[in-house]
Amino acid sequence: MNTHELFHTLHQLSRHLTNTLNEALKPLGLYGSQWSAIFVLKTKGFLTQKELCDYLFVEAPPMTRTIQRLVKQGYVRQVPGKDKREKIIQLTDKALLEYPKWEKTVFETNESVLKNLPETSQEELLRLQKSWLQQLK
Amino acid sequence: MNTHELFHTLHQLSRHLTNTLNEALKPLGLYGSQWSAIFVLKTKGFLTQKELCDYLFVEAPPMTRTIQRLVKQGYVRQVPGKDKREKIIQLTDKALLEYPKWEKTVFETNESVLKNLPETSQEELLRLQKSWLQQLK
DNA sequence: TTCAATTAGTTACCTAGGTAACTATATTCC
DNA sequence: GGAATATAGTTACCTAGGTAACTAATTGAA
């Protein structure tokens, strides 16, 4: 098995998709890292920063930065938790208003990079990736 | 098809593997980006910086940094080309001497993260990734 | 109960990789 | 041949994400 090629193509795919997403989000004034946090917050309602980190498997410092940017743009609110160390994060009305446009853009971008990959391949790829990722944790 | 999950797991896999590789290379005094350049130089002999960029699908500025670090460590030499804008990059004897150890470390790291993923899955994954990547270019 | 250990979040600084703007050399076209 | 254009590489600066060291709050144990 050519493990080198496997890692190399995976790395390139990831970079390519990140770049494509960032380019699509640029006119909306968002970055990919912000979108990933927004997406989780939209589906989960509200979370502490720690929970957001755990969910996205990202360390705390980059998450602090992402959230501070979102706060500055008025898309996210930080509410102190019962445990006063915690900050509970939630989307603002402004964000909820913009959300459908963001989601549409991301969805269309995803579709466009997948349009030549058969549906069965997409599903097989997802299955293999999930299985691999699970074994790594 | 859940495109979001597909991109999310791909991104996480890529990050996880990058981190694992960097951790394994740390005691050798190398970073992953340096290894990827070294690997290409070892298999191709010598290349201009431009050719290295094209091969790794990386922009010129990060490649400049990677090479400058390798030059500083004495693992790489920059020779002016016939076209005086170009710099031809080649591994030094010092690098060639260390190479087997580096390769062994990387190989073992790759094996360790793949050990629970069946060979057939690995091959299928590589096939799907290559096919997808090809369609994106 | 008080003092040590743990935890949530921040700050500072590192690598990876991207764009924009620049320099210096090559190429093209009149 | 000389001016415009293209190309290789560098520099400056941006985001993404990592570790180490720190603060403040909480938990646990003597």
Side-chain angles (χ1 to χ4, degrees):
Chain A
M1 175 61 194
N2 185 348
T3 59
H4 177 79
E5 196 178 5
L6 180 61
F7 293 110
H8 184 60
T9 52
L10 179 60
H11 186 58
Q12 289 204 1
L13 265 179
S14 176
R15 271 173 48 221
H16 191 108
L17 298 173
T18 300
N19 293 344
T20 305
L21 179 63
N22 272 315
E23 201 178 332
L25 287 174
K26 203 171 190 178
L28 304 179
L30 280 185
Y31 292 101
S33 59
Q34 296 180 288
W35 164 252
S36 64
I38 288 169
F39 180 81
V40 175
L41 287 168
K42 181 63 164 50
T43 57
K44 297 275 170 181
F46 54 88
L47 294 169
T48 64
Q49 269 183 231
K50 183 65 169 56
E51 287 168 334
L52 255 177
C53 289
D54 290 347
Y55 199 83
L56 294 171
F57 285 92
V58 158
E59 299 300 322
M63 185 54 74
T64 294
R65 277 196 303 273
T66 298
I67 288 180
Q68 284 175 350
R69 253 195 313 226
L70 285 170
V71 168
K72 195 172 289 177
Q73 288 173 281
Y75 292 141
V76 139
R77 206 180 2 252
Q78 288 173 308
V79 181
K82 195 162 57 181
D83 181 334
K84 282 174 191 163
R85 291 169 305 179
E86 292 179 342
K87 296 183 175 178
I88 292 165
I89 313 297
Q90 47 185 283
L91 295 178
T92 60
D93 290 346
K94 183 181 173 192
L96 292 171
L97 203 69
E98 299 279 356
Y99 188 87
K101 190 171 63 186
W102 296 337
E103 190 184 41
K104 183 166 178 287
T105 298
V106 174
F107 182 77
E108 286 172 1
T109 305
N110 289 356
E111 287 292 308
S112 81
V113 294
L114 279 169
K115 68 172 187 297
N116 290 317
L117 193 68
E119 184 86 10
T120 53
S121 296
Q122 298 177 25
E123 276 154 12
E124 180 67 2
L125 198 50
L126 176 57
R127 196 185 65 73
L128 289 166
Q129 287 176 9
K130 280 171 76 171
S131 143
W132 190 6
L133 201 55
Q134 202 169 3
Q135 287 162 17
L136 291 176
K137 290 175 183 165
Chain B
M1 175 62 193
N2 186 346
T3 59
H4 177 79
E5 196 179 5
L6 181 61
F7 293 110
H8 184 61
T9 53
L10 179 60
H11 186 58
Q12 289 203 3
L13 265 179
S14 176
R15 271 173 48 223
H16 191 108
L17 299 173
T18 301
N19 293 345
T20 305
L21 180 63
N22 272 314
E23 202 178 331
L25 287 174
K26 202 171 189 176
L28 304 180
L30 280 185
Y31 292 101
S33 58
Q34 296 180 286
W35 163 252
S36 65
I38 288 169
F39 180 81
V40 176
L41 287 168
K42 181 64 164 51
T43 58
K44 296 277 170 181
F46 54 88
L47 294 168
T48 65
Q49 268 182 234
K50 182 64 168 56
E51 288 168 332
L52 255 177
C53 289
D54 290 347
Y55 199 83
L56 294 172
F57 285 92
V58 158
E59 299 300 321
M63 185 55 73
T64 294
R65 276 196 305 273
T66 298
I67 288 179
Q68 284 175 351
R69 254 195 312 229
L70 285 170
V71 168
K72 195 172 289 178
Q73 288 173 280
Y75 293 141
V76 138
R77 209 183 358 254
Q78 289 172 308
V79 181
K82 196 162 57 181
D83 180 335
K84 282 173 191 164
R85 291 169 304 179
E86 293 180 342
K87 296 184 174 178
I88 293 166
I89 313 297
Q90 47 186 283
L91 294 178
T92 60
D93 290 345
K94 182 181 174 191
L96 292 171
L97 204 69
E98 300 277 0
Y99 188 86
K101 191 171 64 186
W102 297 337
E103 189 184 40
K104 182 165 178 288
T105 299
V106 174
F107 182 77
E108 286 173 1
T109 306
N110 289 356
E111 287 292 308
S112 82
V113 294
L114 279 169
K115 69 172 187 295
N116 290 316
L117 193 68
E119 184 87 10
T120 53
S121 297
Q122 298 177 24
E123 275 155 13
E124 180 67 2
L125 199 50
L126 175 57
R127 195 186 66 73
L128 288 166
Q129 286 176 10
K130 280 170 77 172
S131 144
W132 190 7
L133 201 54
Q134 201 169 3
Q135 286 161 17
L136 291 176
K137 290 175 182 167

